[in-house]
């Protein structure tokens, strides 16, 4: 008896002699093969291949109408990829006919009259070969599928990386003009007597701050802006975020439930960014609920797990939920199921970027018909010791009688810095680039050099290196204005110098604080 898996192999017997066909049928059936077909008309072979789909063909060579070699030739033309073994049975042992059959695609020969055992052995070998071929093909197909999938993912990642770079680049470009707006607002506000003007300037300032936050969000998404951390009470933050959206939630008839842990510790996190995450989740829930049948419920829950030192925030809705086919992709940037103009597909990508940059994780659970539940986990971290917030240095009071050289190639930024500092009583000079600054530093002494890091003609790092060669004592008086933390070289340079930094977009307050701290530094 043949091994079980072989017995279902489909075997087609082709011989014009009916007695021969019967003999082989009996032989094979006796060995356990149970999927047999036969024909004594060789013209039927091609048709049977399509309907019966044999795993092996036993083929007589010498037949009327269409001889075996011709059948082989036609078979070869027809089957392109699959390996279909053909065992040729022939009484004609001439070399010539063997060569013709071999060339036409025969897999093996058996000379009539044959030994039963020999026939069975060849049949089994050929079926095994066919089965190996099929396994191989299946594996190749899976592999090909995987390669295609990976290629697709790679392309997506590439596209995203390019998009990310583009966004981050644009965001950075916006930092300089935003510094100017924020700074000018800061300088203007105190002198505004007219209450109308004051309200307007306040609006401008707030709008600019919003832009700053958007820019930071982009940079966070591209993982290029670390969170600005402080103590955050998550329960408050959840209420604030819902409050922000209360109008939309009311119109959509959504009932909001809070289940907030009383013992929730403060987390060391970026307040704005986390609020953005919650706003995105609540907005998604609201959009999912608005077309769903009532009741419309949104639940926000917080929990603390003292053991793992993590807090958990859950945002759940009673909407349609998320089909399992797309669940893996909803955090991908630009993945959206919403009509054009309604969703950009950035909400969850941004949320993930923010949560992960806080060392946390975000995921989704959604059983069919049970709504969606987003779960955020954040570590409860202790803040680093606040060495730089010592009281006397944290203020913005000017240090009397000091002279400052401002080096910046952007006139709007340069004059803003100069004006802010001279209003505080500092002696300020301006240099449009590093080369000019170097000449001025040769001519007189300054207590502080506030230098842009990226400039044409001798940039910040180059200026620093020149100064280090000529007047080493001055290197400790540098403050760098950076719009370019993107650039790893700039970052490495700044870390090496240990010089204080003013990151664009800066506020007048932060300029004053950093300048004071640098002037008072030992
Ligand atoms: N609460 C939810 N219920 C059902 N589906 C959701 C829910 N939240 C997200 N999704 C699905 O995830 C997709 C991606 O969400 P994401 O917030 O990233 O983008 P968006 O909402 O489509 O667009 P954007 O947030 O940029 O306006 C959505 O288009 C939606 O299909
Ligand atoms: Mg969204």
């Amino acid at each position: 008896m043949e091994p079980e898996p072989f017995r279902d192999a489909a075997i087609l017997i082709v011989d014009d002699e009916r007695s021969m066909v019967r003999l082989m049928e009996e032989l094979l059936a006796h060995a356990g093969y149970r999927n047999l077909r036969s024909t004594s008309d060789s013209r039927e072979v091609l048709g049977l291949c399509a309907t019966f789909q044999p795993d092996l063909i036993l083929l007589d060579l010498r037949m009327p109408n269409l001889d075996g070699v011709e059948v082989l030739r036609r078979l070869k033309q027809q089957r392109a990829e699959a390996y279909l073994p053909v065992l040729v049975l022939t009484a004609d042992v001439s070399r010539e006919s063997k060569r013709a059959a071999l060339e036409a695609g025969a897999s093996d020969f058996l000379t009539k009259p044959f030994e039963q055992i020999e026939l069975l052995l060849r049949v089994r070998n050929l079926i095994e070969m066919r089965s190996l071929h099929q396994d191989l093909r299946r594996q190749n197909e899976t592999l090909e599928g995987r390669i295609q999938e990976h290629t697709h993912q790679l392309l997506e990642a590439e596209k995203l990386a390019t998009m990310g770079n583009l966004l981050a680049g644009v965001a950075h470009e916006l930092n300089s003009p935003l510094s100017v707006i924020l700074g000018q607002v800061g300088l203007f506000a105190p002198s505004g007597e007219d209450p109308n003007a004051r309200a307007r300037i306040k609006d401008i300032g707030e709008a600019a701050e919003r832009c700053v936050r958007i820019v930071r969000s982009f940079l966070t998404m591209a993982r290029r802006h670390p969170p600005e951390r402080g103590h955050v009470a998550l329960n408050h933050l959840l209420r604030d975020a819902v409050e922000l959206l209360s109008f939309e939630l009311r119109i959509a008839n959504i009932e909001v439930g809070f289940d907030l842990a009383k013992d929730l510790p403060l987390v060391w996190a970026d307040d704005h960014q986390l609020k953005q995450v919650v706003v995105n989740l609540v907005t998604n829930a609201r959009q999912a609920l608005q077309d769903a049948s009532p009741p419309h419920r949104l639940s926000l829950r917080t929990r603390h797990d003292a053991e793992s030192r993590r807090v958990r925030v859950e945002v759940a809705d009673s909407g349609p939920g998320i089909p399992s086919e797309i669940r893996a992709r909803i955090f991908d940037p630009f993945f959206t199921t919403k009509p054009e103009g309604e969703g950009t597909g950035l909400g969850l990508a941004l949320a993930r970027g923010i949560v992960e940059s806080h060392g946390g994780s975000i995921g989704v659970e959604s059983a069919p018909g049970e709504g969606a539940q987003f779960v955020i986990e954040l570590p409860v971290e202790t803040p680093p010791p606040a060495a730089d917030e010592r009281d006397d240095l944290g203020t913005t009071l000017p240090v009397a009688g000091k002279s400052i050289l401002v080096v910046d190639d952007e006139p709007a930024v340069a004059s803003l810095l100069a004006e802010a500092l001279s209003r505080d009583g500092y002696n300020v000079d301006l240099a449009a680039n590093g080369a000019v600054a170097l000449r001025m530093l040769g001519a007189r002494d300054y207590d502080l050099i506030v230098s842009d890091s990226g400039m044409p003609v001798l940039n910040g790092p180059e200026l620093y290196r020149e100064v280090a060669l000529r007047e080493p004592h001055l290197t400790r008086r540098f403050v760098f204005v950076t719009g370019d933390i993107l650039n790893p070289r700039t970052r490495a340079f700044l870390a090496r110098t240990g010089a204080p930094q003013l990151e664009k977009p800066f506020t007048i307050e932060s300029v004053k604080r950093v300048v004071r701290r640098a002037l008072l530094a030992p």
Side-chain angles (χ1 to χ4, degrees), residues 413-449:
V413 178
S415 61
L416 171 76
L417 286 170
E419 192 181 343
L421 293 171
S422 25
R423 272 201 196 180
D424 269 3
Y426 293 112
N427 270 316
V428 185
D429 282 336
L430 281 179
N433 61 50
V436 176
L438 210 55
R439 271 203 300 282
M440 293 171 77
L441 285 170
R444 62 160 288 195
D445 203 29
Y446 288 92
D447 297 302
L448 201 66
I449 303 149

Side-chain angles (χ1 to χ4, degrees), residues 284-285 287-288 317 321-322 326 330 335-338 342-349 372 374:
N284 282 347
Q287 288 167 330
D317 63 64
I322 301 162
I326 64 165
I330 57 172
F335 176 83
T336 181
T337 55
K338 293 168 192 169
E342 214 168 283
T344 49
L346 284 175
L348 290 176
F374 285 85

Side-chain angles (χ1 to χ4, degrees), residues 155-168:
L155 283 177
E156 279 294 295
E158 182 102 346
K159 200 165 76 195
L160 286 177
T162 315
M163 280 296 236
N165 282 336
L166 204 70
L167 284 179

